């Protein structure tokens, strides 16, 4: 199972730069990132090569940060790949609360990051269907 950090930030210029600057200074590699706007505040979700350390340094810099369990699954970089995963989860009556992804190898494979209510169950379901989980996130 993967972990992501969620960082609650004021929606102002320079806030993202501060986060990425801290990570760079601490030599923490940013693997995935998404930003959700909700007016005056936003939520920055990140996965790094050292989430525990990222959590500690961001907390020390007075950011409001938390961990969430996520499922990181490898899917083909093809039309309909996410749809097939969504259909499997719908058939199992599992809700996708949040999702984002990125290309690993263009035309070949991508990573899909899923926040779901029962990550362990989702991992079992997807493994049973032949999907590869990316564990080192």
């Amino acid at each position: 199972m993967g972990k992501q950090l969620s960082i609650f930030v004021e929606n102002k210029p320079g806030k993202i730069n501060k986060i990425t600057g801290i990570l760079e200074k601490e030599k923490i590699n940013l693997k995935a990132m998404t930003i959700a706007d909700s007016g005056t505040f936003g939520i920055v979700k990140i996965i790094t090569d050292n989430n525990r350390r990222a959590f500690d340094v961001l907390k020390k810099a007075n950011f409001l940060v938390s961990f969430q369990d996520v499922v990181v699954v490898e899917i083909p970089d093809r039309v309909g790949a996410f749809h097939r995963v969504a259909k499997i989860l719908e058939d199992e009556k599992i809700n996708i609360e949040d999702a984002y992804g990125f290309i690993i190898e263009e035309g070949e494979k991508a990573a899909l990051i899923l926040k779901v209510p029962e990550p362990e169950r989702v991992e079992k379901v997807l493994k049973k269907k032949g999907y590869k989980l990316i564990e080192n996130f």
Side-chain angles (χ1 to χ4, degrees):
M1 180 172 328
K3 296 276 188 194
Q4 79 177 3
L5 299 174
S6 290
I7 309 151
F8 189 68
V9 294
E10 208 171 359
N11 195 358
K12 287 188 175 178
K15 293 296 182 178
I16 302 304
N17 180 55
K18 187 168 182 185
I19 292 168
T20 57
I22 289 167
L23 297 176
E24 179 185 34
K25 180 180 174 228
E26 296 294 326
K27 299 194 181 345
I28 298 170
N29 190 22
L30 190 59
K31 300 273 196 173
M33 178 179 197
T34 184
I35 302 169
D37 170 35
S38 64
T40 56
F41 288 90
I43 299 176
V44 178
K45 296 174 190 164
I46 63 172
I47 296 175
T48 73
D49 64 347
N50 190 335
N51 284 334
R52 169 48 55 196
R53 196 153 151 257
F55 177 90
D56 291 342
V57 298
L58 291 169
K59 195 82 155 163
K60 186 176 177 185
N62 296 315
F63 282 97
L64 183 56
V65 59
S66 64
F67 277 114
Q68 290 83 44
D69 291 329
V70 290
V71 175
V72 184
V73 60
E74 185 179 300
I75 61 172
D77 180 22
R78 305 269 190 278
V79 172
F82 183 9
H83 169 70
R84 284 186 276 290
V85 170
K87 178 68 173 134
I88 290 166
L89 298 182
E90 177 190 14
D91 290 347
E92 294 288 327
K93 309 277 189 267
I94 298 169
N95 185 42
I96 298 171
E97 297 173 343
D98 194 16
Y100 56 103
F102 58 92
I103 303 298
I104 296 171
E105 186 178 342
E106 189 171 347
E108 295 297 322
K109 57 186 171 178
L112 180 59
I113 301 161
L114 302 167
K115 185 171 178 298
V116 291
E118 301 174 83
E120 298 89 1
R121 180 172 165 229
V122 169
E123 286 184 338
K124 287 178 187 173
V125 166
L126 293 176
K127 278 184 183 177
K128 187 176 177 182
K129 295 288 186 178
Y131 285 91
K132 177 183 172 190
L133 299 176
I134 302 172
E135 304 284 343
N136 59 350
F137 268 174

